[in-house]
Amino acid sequence: MCGIVGIVNLGGAPFYAGRDTPVLLSMLNQISHRGPDGEAVYFSNNVALGFRRLSIVDHNEGHQPLLAAEGSHALICNGEIYNHDELAARFCRDVRFANSSDCRVLLPMYQRMGMDHVQHLNGIFAFALLDSRKRKLFLCRDRLGVKPLFYSHCGSTLVFGSELKALLCHPAVPKSFDWPRALSFRREMGSPRSSNLNPSLFRGIRAVPPGGTLEVDLENGSVSEHVYWSPLRGPILDGRDRKWFVEEYRNLLEDAVRKQLMGDVQFGLFLSGGIDSVAIGYLAAQSSQLESFSVLTQSTISNGDAQASHSAARALGLSHHSVLFDWRRADLPPSLWRSIVWHCELPVAGAEQLYKFGLHAFAKQKFPKMKVMLTGSGSDEFNGGYSKSVMNLSRDPSWKAFENVSLRFERNCLLRRAGLQDTYATAQRHGAYLISRDFLASVAEEAAPASPWSTYRDIYLRMLPTYQLWHEDRTSSAHGIEARVPFLDHRLVELTYQVPAKLHEQLFWDKSILRDGLEGELNDAFIRRKKTQFFVGEDERYTRRLLYGILSAHNCELIDEALDGHGCLGSVIDRDALWGLFRAIPDDPEYSDVELVLDIVNMGLLADMPRQASSARSKEGMVLEELNLEHWESWRDSHGRSIVHRTLELNELSIPRFVDGVNLVQWRAGSGSDGQFHIVREGVLEYSFDQSSLAWVGFLLELDGIRTVGELLNRTRLPNAEVWKNLEEAIEYRVLELSVSVGQASTTRSTIGMSLPAPPER
């Protein structure tokens, strides 16, 4: 991983090192985190190039720009060419290389076959290649868009760089934030349609498309985009059966992991315990020493990720680090969140970005020489990981239900594009719509999808570079670490596109193509583990409280800054409405609206980014605690509750009782039949318990205002972690209050309130 920047005077005016170096260095300074190991600038007539290096291969000699011997060509590259040794042996036998850098093959290959050489590359890359003879500059990006590359064509100047912030500090680049696009970003990033692909939220700045090149004519100043790769271009392999695809995928994945272990540095792995990261860990551990890392929160405890990652690491022989994010004790000042948004450049930055930013920070603090992190990104997107959960609305998920959801989603996208969201277009009978899908596609000027699976696949093909890969790159590069994604080896993606429709259900229902390929190699507990969504689950509210704490910190400093900055947020939204939404968040036990408010605040901070420069980069690191969980079950039962248990008053000597006016009641449906239990306050129904809460109801039925929590636990024999979690919430929302035993008597304490600060009145 490195950082690249450049400027082109399209009118032909030459650059001069003394005069023009400062602006190039200011651009490089914005992305210095991407390349802490070296810096270089290069001038050639009307082209200026800048480079920041993170040394992974050939520490001593792999400096850039790379220059052809006769000085006719120059190259700066961010990324890795995994098959560089194979390419050198095949295409560069007569070349005497000055170093063993993986990028060394690019220039001689270009000189031999022009830009067609990218078809032979296996890797993640974004490069600028200057051909002084032909007076051309090429900007090129890898097939899936793992590595970022942006450009701005402003008048007679073209500016490009690895991150938006590098471009924004150039005086010629517009600084106008695109508010309409920002406000529709969540909706648009998940659309399967091909239009409006530009992920930049600043007017005048575009991304070089994944699998694309930008060709700049240095003589006449013309600029044109070309796409050199699409997974749709490969043939459908109708003659292959299910077994062949499973075996081919398994073998290609093993080869992809082997290739991506290239480097002379320490490697890490983000291990969630799901089949994706476990598969990468299993294949990588056969030839490399890995340190693995996972997030430990109440959410990952309850959804099983924490235990699964611990078990997987032990089974694979990995040294594992469970990194604690405790929402009660986390010291996350506004300056840290400002830095996360500044690095990510995303309006939808939230818990996922916070956790991954923190994991990378922890990994770098504990292992300063670590420069590469393997992740399982890309498997869900092309192997059907969301077919059984996100893209399925039925209680009993099925492939048919998945297809129905996909078709409905696709139709809604076509309706929006065609501008035909009215009674005629939405009328249907027995599942058949009045207006045909083909007609909608023709009006929307889009190709109708070949199948429901095509819709799913295209959604995530689009979303990957505009969200997932974007923030994976930024949260890692912020700490001088490169994120590598074996599942996005282009050969694997192409293979999934070559599967005939008759095999889609057999291979892509809940990632069967991956799970079945590891049969007999991994324990079934890992292969068949149900898909979970990182921190999502029944305790996601604790993650939301962590985000609420960030917004509340320092008297709601971030909200004030977003509203009062130069990004004009105050003219876009109603201040009173924003404060009203924020103040109401704690009224909901789930804290459901915190992401909505955080998105708006992020937009305000991003809109002000052109004026922040590098001052937004926090000098403070995240101080996180690692828990040593040698014996998971005993830790969970004895200490797991502490992730939730926030106050000193709540302990085993506490005596819980119902707050005055609050009662647990049971309504009976009829004589002799037990009805549902409810919490009633002052005669008003407040909460109803479902079947999953019967154990907690049993604990509540034992409350008498005399016995302690410890005594009640011994009597009910309920799981400690479950009781403590529910006690915490019951106290917080004034259902229960506590007494502490003193001799034979007890002293009632006031109900424990929120430890998070209340928002100020505005």
Side-chain angles (χ1 to χ4, degrees):
M1 181 204 73
C2 301
I4 64 174
V5 300
I7 313 168
V8 182
N9 280 336
L10 298 174
F15 286 103
Y16 296 100
R19 182 193 67 192
D20 298 309
T21 297
V23 67
L24 206 59
L25 290 179
S26 69
M27 294 173 66
L28 286 172
N29 182 55
Q30 295 296 296
I31 57 172
S32 59
H33 50 277
R34 300 188 69 89
D37 298 331
E39 179 180 77
V41 296
Y42 176 80
F43 297 93
S44 176
N45 199 1
N46 59 329
V47 176
L49 304 177
F51 177 73
R52 294 284 317 203
R53 185 189 186 210
L54 178 73
S55 57
I56 295 178
V57 178
D58 194 358
H59 293 288
N60 298 322
E61 300 297 335
H63 303 292
Q64 296 187 32
L66 294 172
L67 304 174
E70 66 277 19
S72 59
H73 300 83
L75 175 121
I76 50 175
C77 181
N78 163 32
E80 311 296 333
I81 310 302
Y82 298 130
N83 61 338
H84 63 100
D85 284 336
E86 302 163 30
L87 295 174
R90 180 180 177 187
F91 297 113
C92 310
R93 293 179 181 176
D94 57 345
V95 178
R96 295 185 62 184
F97 291 109
N99 58 55
S100 57
S101 162
D102 57 291
C103 295
R104 72 191 187 281
V105 298
L106 296 180
L107 282 181
M109 287 181 66
Y110 168 79
Q111 291 175 313
R112 176 172 176 170
M113 63 189 80
M115 286 303 293
D116 287 343
H117 79 286
V118 298
Q119 302 290 350
H120 298 281
L121 305 182
N122 183 307
I124 50 177
F125 52 83
F127 65 74
L129 191 156
L130 173 63
D131 185 336
S132 297
R133 287 180 177 172
K134 294 183 178 180
R135 299 293 293 146
K136 301 276 190 180
L137 176 73
F138 298 95
L139 305 182
C140 185
R141 196 170 173 206
D142 64 67
R143 295 171 179 84
L144 276 301
V146 178
K147 291 300 181 183
L149 188 56
F150 299 93
Y151 71 95
S152 180
H153 185 184
C154 28
S156 61
T157 304
L158 182 98
V159 182
F160 65 88
S162 297
E163 296 183 15
L164 295 173
K165 59 183 70 69
L167 279 70
L168 288 169
C169 74
H170 189 283
V173 175
K175 311 296 190 290
S176 178
F177 192 70
D178 191 341
W179 279 104
R181 175 157 176 73
L183 292 168
S184 62
F185 188 85
R186 273 196 185 273
R187 182 191 70 192
E188 291 297 328
M189 74 177 184
S191 170
R193 301 295 91 212
S194 59
S195 60
N196 202 24
L197 277 173
N198 179 35
S200 165
L201 296 181
F202 288 89
R203 291 187 172 93
I205 300 180
R206 295 186 56 82
V208 175
T213 59
L214 192 75
E215 181 178 330
V216 183
D217 190 310
L218 301 176
E219 287 294 332
N220 61 29
S222 64
V223 178
S224 57
E225 276 188 5
H226 308 277
V227 174
Y228 68 84
W229 179 85
S230 167
L232 291 168
R233 294 175 181 171
I236 301 299
L237 302 179
D238 282 307
R240 308 293 186 176
D241 62 10
R242 179 184 179 279
K243 181 181 178 182
W244 183 88
F245 279 105
V246 169
E247 292 178 350
E248 182 71 4
Y249 191 93
R250 160 66 178 78
N251 293 335
L252 282 176
L253 179 61
E254 182 175 20
D255 188 61
V257 171
R258 179 185 60 79
K259 279 181 165 62
Q260 296 193 27
L261 289 172
M262 175 195 77
D264 308 318
V265 296
Q266 190 169 15
F267 285 76
L269 167 71
F270 279 0
L271 182 64
S272 70
I275 182 60
D276 304 330
S277 59
V278 171
I280 299 300
Y282 165 69
L283 295 171
Q286 297 179 28
S287 58
S288 180
Q289 292 289 327
L290 294 177
E291 302 287 338
S292 61
F293 305 87
S294 65
V295 169
L296 184 63
T297 69
Q298 182 61 36
S299 299
T300 60
I301 291 174
S302 61
N303 73 12
D305 267 4
Q307 181 172 4
S309 60
H310 175 264
S311 300
R314 186 164 52 187
L316 299 175
L318 304 180
S319 175
H320 190 60
H321 310 276
S322 297
V323 184
L324 175 64
F325 291 78
D326 188 337
W327 71 275
R328 308 156 305 151
R329 296 179 293 172
D331 182 17
L332 303 177
S335 59
L336 180 59
W337 186 253
R338 193 180 299 116
S339 178
I340 291 174
V341 174
W342 184 84
H343 278 289
C344 288
E345 302 177 335
L346 272 177
V348 293
E352 184 171 9
Q353 289 70 36
L354 172 66
Y355 288 146
K356 289 184 176 178
F357 190 92
L359 275 191
H360 284 297
F362 175 87
K364 197 67 172 183
Q365 290 163 8
K366 191 169 184 70
F367 303 100
K369 295 183 179 180
M370 183 167 290
K371 292 186 178 181
V372 174
M373 190 71 68
L374 301 175
T375 80
S377 294
S379 177
D380 285 321
E381 287 77 1
F382 296 114
N383 294 333
Y386 303 125
S387 61
K388 200 173 182 179
S389 53
V390 176
M391 296 292 285
N392 219 303
L393 301 180
S394 64
R395 290 186 177 181
D396 184 18
S398 66
W399 181 260
K400 183 63 177 176
F402 157 71
E403 289 187 322
N404 289 337
V405 172
S406 297
L407 288 171
R408 195 177 306 125
F409 184 87
E410 173 67 31
R411 187 177 184 87
N412 288 337
C413 290
L414 289 174
L415 285 169
R416 192 165 64 245
R417 299 288 187 210
L420 293 176
Q421 292 193 9
D422 56 24
T423 304
Y424 305 113
T426 56
Q428 60 171 308
R429 181 69 173 171
H430 301 308
Y433 286 94
L434 181 63
I435 307 298
S436 75
R437 185 182 63 168
D438 289 341
F439 175 76
L440 287 178
S442 67
V443 175
E445 297 181 343
E446 299 282 356
S451 68
W453 169 250
S454 301
T455 295
Y456 172 99
R457 189 180 59 193
D458 293 346
I459 289 171
Y460 291 107
L461 178 65
R462 172 190 168 88
M463 188 182 292
L464 270 167
T466 58
Y467 175 71
Q468 188 71 27
L469 293 175
W470 184 317
H471 76 77
E472 294 279 11
D473 172 83
R474 306 311 169 78
T475 54
S476 58
S477 65
H479 304 286
I481 293 175
E482 177 173 83
R484 292 187 181 174
V485 282
F487 282 110
L488 293 181
D489 182 300
H490 70 277
R491 298 170 299 166
L492 288 167
V493 176
E494 288 172 351
L495 182 67
T496 64
Y497 273 74
Q498 293 173 321
V499 174
K502 64 184 179 182
L503 295 178
H504 284 173
E505 180 178 358
Q506 296 180 45
L507 293 174
F508 300 131
W509 176 239
D510 196 26
K511 294 190 283 198
S512 294
I513 192 171
L514 172 64
R515 297 182 192 274
D516 293 353
L518 293 167
E519 287 266 9
E521 297 184 69
L522 285 172
N523 188 294
D524 271 357
F526 300 125
I527 293 176
R528 302 302 166 192
R529 183 174 176 242
K530 182 181 177 182
K531 166 70 183 173
T532 58
Q533 290 180 254
F534 195 10
F535 57 87
V536 176
E538 62 176 295
D539 287 328
E540 187 179 353
R541 57 190 174 277
Y542 293 105
T543 289
R544 295 193 186 113
R545 293 183 190 194
L546 181 64
L547 300 178
Y548 177 81
I550 292 171
L551 289 171
S552 301
H554 296 194
N555 199 27
C556 304
E557 179 182 306
L558 287 173
I559 300 179
D560 278 333
E561 180 179 335
L563 284 168
D564 298 331
H566 292 86
C568 301
L569 175 62
S571 66
V572 174
I573 57 99
D574 185 293
R575 289 171 176 262
D576 292 338
L578 181 65
W579 282 113
L581 280 169
F582 179 65
R583 282 195 295 269
I585 288 172
D587 295 340
D588 171 17
E590 297 297 325
Y591 282 51
S592 302
D593 284 337
V594 73
E595 285 101 340
L596 187 156
V597 174
L598 188 61
D599 278 2
I600 297 297
V601 170
N602 290 342
M603 292 176 202
L605 298 175
L606 286 174
D608 205 31
M609 191 168 67
R611 294 164 185 82
Q612 294 172 354
S614 59
S615 61
R617 197 176 340 190
S618 175
K619 306 304 179 186
E620 315 168 47
M622 292 182 74
V623 180
L624 298 169
E625 177 185 357
E626 176 187 358
L627 297 188
N628 186 2
L629 309 180
E630 286 298 322
H631 303 287
W632 169 264
E633 292 78 8
S634 61
W635 175 86
R636 178 195 59 200
D637 292 341
S638 60
H639 301 292
R641 64 183 187 194
S642 66
I643 305 295
V644 186
H645 173 206
R646 182 180 65 248
T647 59
L648 293 175
E649 288 88 343
L650 181 56
N651 55 56
E652 291 193 354
L653 295 179
S654 302
I655 300 174
R657 71 179 187 88
F658 285 101
V659 171
D660 291 342
V662 175
N663 296 286
L664 176 68
V665 300
Q666 183 183 30
W667 290 352
R668 296 183 180 277
S671 176
S673 62
D674 291 337
Q676 194 173 14
F677 283 91
H678 311 267
I679 293 293
V680 175
R681 189 188 303 272
E682 303 293 348
V684 178
L685 176 65
E686 190 167 272
Y687 184 79
S688 299
F689 295 101
D690 58 24
Q691 291 295 316
S692 66
S693 303
L694 292 182
W696 170 237
V697 170
F699 182 88
L700 293 176
L701 289 171
E702 296 291 334
L703 299 184
D704 56 10
I706 299 173
R707 285 176 292 186
T708 66
V709 171
E711 292 170 333
L712 291 166
L713 286 173
N714 287 333
R715 180 178 177 84
T716 59
R717 299 188 181 280
L718 294 173
N720 280 6
E722 181 177 341
V723 171
W724 288 107
K725 178 182 69 176
N726 285 294
L727 268 173
E728 176 83 13
E729 290 194 342
I731 292 166
E732 182 175 325
Y733 286 93
R734 294 186 55 79
V735 172
L736 301 180
E737 62 184 6
L738 299 178
S739 300
V740 178
S741 60
V742 181
Q744 298 299 315
S746 65
T747 303
T748 301
R749 294 192 173 182
S750 59
T751 305
I752 302 170
M754 291 291 299
S755 65
L756 296 173
E761 292 297 326
R762 303 284 170 168

